[in-house]
Amino acid sequence: AQSVTQLGSHVSVSEGALVLLRCNYSSSVPPYLFWYVQYPNQGLQLLLKYTSAATLVKGINGFEAEFKKSETSFHLTKPSAHMRDAAEYFCVGPNQAGTALIFGKGTTLSVSS
Amino acid sequence: EAQVTQNPRYLITVTGKKLTVTCSQNMNHEYMSWYRQDPGLGLRQIYYSMNVEVTDKGDVPEGYKVSRKEKRNFPLILESPSPNQTSLYFCASRTAGGGSYEQYFGPGTRLTVT
């Protein structure tokens, strides 16, 4: 079955600390993966996307993700968290037919001062 | 500005009263889709359309209808809403070809059915 699994529904970090949000995908998901961010009471914003051009992908707001085929992972990182990073983050990939996006269940990031 | 718009943004209604949520995109995209977002479940696809007059069910189509008479519009219809359809709804669009599956999302419609 196609799936995108986010490990940890809540992650809490201090301002300035490393952010690591984990995502694993099933091998049947085509090699196009995304991270979307949803700020409180807002819509979805594309953070970054992997389209097989490079395994390390840089996105907006200092985020990056590394595609590791051997581990079927696409973890999201940021070296230094800011208060404004507090949001819900979704790891996303297309279904095999390309007719829908499969969303992970989301990870809520909290940042404390 | 390239965008997907949805109306209304917020809607409170009663059980059984038919409603329509509109979605429009100005990017000439062939593909459009509706998702619902529920806490702890992420987003799940309701219906999608690969082009005008071509629609198909997603993972959770029960209780919903759609139509695609024009390329830019993809309304979501709830003919007899029930409380379990209380949710946050997103419309999305993308190009049909090119191998990119990136979808552009509207701002969302928060629906409450009492």
Side-chain angles (χ1 to χ4, degrees):
Chain A
Q2 302 158 349
S3 66
V4 175
T5 304
Q6 291 182 240
L7 305 174
S9 58
H10 289 89
V11 170
S12 297
V13 300
S14 300
E15 197 170 20
L18 170 72
V19 175
L20 171 60
L21 305 183
R22 299 176 187 272
C23 172
N24 287 93
Y25 63 93
S26 64
S27 57
S28 57
V29 171
Y32 297 89
L33 291 165
F34 312 91
W35 278 97
Y36 281 84
V37 60
Q38 186 176 32
Y39 297 104
N41 298 313
Q42 294 191 27
L44 293 159
Q45 182 179 2
L46 181 67
L47 205 54
L48 52 80
K49 60 184 176 182
Y50 169 75
T51 58
S52 59
T55 56
L56 183 62
V57 183
K58 294 188 184 300
I60 60 173
N61 301 336
F63 284 92
E64 62 182 37
E66 186 172 6
F67 177 79
K68 290 187 176 181
K69 187 175 180 179
S70 60
E71 299 177 7
T72 60
S73 68
F74 191 56
H75 301 331
L76 182 70
T77 60
K78 182 174 180 177
S80 177
H82 291 274
M83 297 291 286
R84 62 174 177 264
D85 296 326
E88 188 162 22
Y89 293 80
F90 294 97
C91 183
V92 185
N95 65 358
Q96 202 156 25
T99 56
L101 290 179
I102 305 170
F103 281 74
K105 292 188 172 23
T107 298
T108 299
L109 176 66
S110 300
V111 183
S112 58
S113 57
Chain B
E1 180 190 356
Q3 60 182 349
V4 179
T5 57
Q6 296 179 224
N7 282 292
R9 295 289 312 281
Y10 301 90
L11 180 58
I12 300 174
T13 189
V14 297
T15 299
K17 186 177 181 181
K18 180 178 180 179
L19 66 92
T20 299
V21 183
T22 65
C23 172
S24 182
Q25 50 92 7
N26 62 1
M27 294 170 279
N28 201 36
H29 286 164
E30 295 84 4
Y31 171 99
M32 297 185 74
S33 182
W34 277 101
Y35 295 84
R36 61 177 287 173
Q37 181 182 14
D38 301 291
L41 296 178
L43 276 75
R44 295 174 294 167
Q45 189 185 53
I46 303 170
Y47 268 96
Y48 67 95
S49 169
M50 296 300 288
N51 215 323
V52 176
E53 303 291 359
V54 180
T55 63
D56 210 342
K57 297 177 180 178
D59 292 326
V60 288
E62 293 76 22
Y64 304 95
K65 284 178 58 177
V66 293
S67 69
R68 188 89 182 274
K69 292 182 170 51
E70 304 166 285
K71 196 172 188 179
R72 63 183 296 129
N73 296 322
F74 190 45
L76 179 69
I77 303 157
L78 285 72
E79 297 216 324
S80 184
S82 62
N84 64 12
Q85 292 178 297
T86 292
S87 189
L88 179 57
Y89 292 86
F90 288 100
C91 181
S93 72
R94 66 167 173 83
T95 57
S100 172
Y101 298 98
E102 177 185 350
Q103 294 187 20
Y104 298 81
F105 286 85
T109 295
R110 187 168 293 280
L111 172 65
T112 302
V113 183
T114 62

